Each structure stands twice: as structure tokens, then as C-alpha cells.
Amino acid sequence: IIGVIMERTTLVQQSYVADVAHERDCYCMGKVKEAADVIFGSDEDEIITRDELKQIVRHPVKGMALSQLIQEVDLPLGYTVQELHSLLDADASGTVTRTEFVDGMARLLFSDDFQRSCILLTAISDVRSHTFNAVQEIYQQLSEELNAVRTDIQQLGDETRKSFNVAPPPAAAPAATRHS
């Protein structure tokens, strides 16, 4: 009988803890949506830049409201709304949409360690991919510039030889092939 009572008590306690956690999550998500309303107003598709967000933070009414809402969400101590903008700007466009804000906050607040690891690894992969693409683009540009410089040098050499009546150098003979 005591075992049954303990088992049921444990189940009730676990259920209570889950209900409290769910209520806290709903409360936090409500605060996130209120913060989105302060930042974006009523326009669902609106975007905001970092500078526009700074203006909102400095606004006497909106700034105070936003600060209180963000504090209630339990972000790290001293974490600023501008840092949050950088974090939520997933595509590095310099802007954050309402959807990016709300979805990003939900990921930030409600992800477990595995999900955070997936998000972090995806971000690292994105940086690696962007870096690889940038290096390829730079390599292509440098190759084009080098070819242009070679062409310019060749033309300059031709013009110099022409002005001094010097014959062009003989063409390089192909390398001899070895027969075994």
C-alpha cells in the first residue's frame, strides 16, 4: 500500500511540475509576443534594423516597456536587446522580422541542450559555408585580376619592343617527353 501511495504521489508531483513549467513557458511566450508588439507594432510583416531597435530602446515609453518584458523572459544578466537583435538576425541581413523574432526567442527559451547543440552546429556550418563561398569568390576575382595584369604586362612588353625595334623573344619550346 505504501508503494502505491508513493507511486501515485510521485506521479502527481511530476504532473504538477510539468504543469508549472508549461505555465511558465506560456507566460514567457506571451511576454515575447508582447515584446514583438512593442518592437514591430501591429504590422505582421514589418522588419526592424539594429538602429531602429536602438531608437525603440531609447524611447521613454516603449523602451521601458520593452526592458521590463525582456527582463521577465529570463535572459542572461546584462544581455541587451541589441545583442538579441544580432542573435536573432539568422540571415545576417541586418534586419529582423517579427517571425524571426518570435521563432528565435522560442528557440532560445524552450530548446533543450540537444536542440541548442543542433542550432549551434547549424550556425557553425552556415559560417563555414559562407566562408568557403567567400574564399572561392576572392580566388576567382584574384585569378581574373592576375590574368588582366599578365595581359597588361604582355602588351606593355610588346609596345616597348616595338618602340625600340626589338624582336619578340622566341616562344618557349615544349618540354621534351621521355620514352621508357
Side-chain angles (χ1 to χ4, degrees):
I1 291 180
I2 292 176
V4 171
I5 293 171
M6 288 298 295
E7 183 180 324
R8 289 185 181 172
T9 302
T10 301
L11 289 174
V12 168
Q13 182 182 13
Q14 289 173 345
S15 176
Y16 174 75
V17 168
D19 288 345
V20 168
H22 179 72
E23 285 179 23
R24 173 74 181 147
D25 290 350
C26 289
Y27 175 80
C28 284
M29 204 59 213
K31 294 300 177 184
V32 166
K33 289 179 180 177
E34 285 180 46
D37 289 341
V38 170
I39 294 170
F40 297 98
S42 61
D43 187 358
E44 288 294 321
D45 296 327
E46 191 171 342
I47 60 172
I48 191 159
T49 65
R50 190 177 178 108
D51 289 335
E52 291 169 337
L53 187 57
K54 283 181 186 179
Q55 291 174 358
I56 290 172
V57 169
R58 291 183 183 136
H59 190 274
V61 176
K62 288 183 177 183
M64 182 65 78
L66 185 58
S67 178
Q68 288 173 346
L69 290 168
I70 295 298
Q71 283 178 1
E72 292 185 52
V73 174
D74 263 351
L75 290 177
L77 184 65
Y79 205 76
T80 67
V81 178
Q82 289 87 356
E83 290 170 322
L84 193 58
H85 184 280
S86 296
L87 177 72
L88 300 176
D89 183 12
D91 59 359
S93 64
T95 63
V96 174
T97 65
R98 177 186 286 270
T99 301
E100 282 178 319
F101 180 82
V102 173
D103 291 351
M105 287 295 292
R107 283 189 197 123
L108 181 66
L109 296 171
F110 307 124
S111 295
D112 61 23
D113 289 341
F114 172 74
Q115 293 164 333
R116 280 190 199 97
S117 291
C118 289
I119 292 167
L120 180 62
L121 291 172
T122 299
I124 290 169
S125 178
D126 286 347
V127 168
R128 185 181 66 215
S129 176
H130 289 301
T131 302
F132 178 79
N133 290 339
V135 167
Q136 292 294 7
E137 187 176 308
I138 290 169
Y139 178 78
Q140 180 65 33
Q141 289 173 351
L142 286 174
S143 293
E144 291 170 6
E145 290 294 324
L146 181 60
N147 288 335
V149 167
R150 285 178 178 153
T151 300
D152 290 347
I153 289 173
Q154 181 66 39
Q155 288 175 351
L156 185 60
D158 291 346
E159 290 172 9
T160 303
R161 278 188 291 283
K162 195 184 242 184
S163 67
F164 290 107
N165 293 325
V166 176
T177 56
R178 292 174 49 181
H179 298 285
S180 307

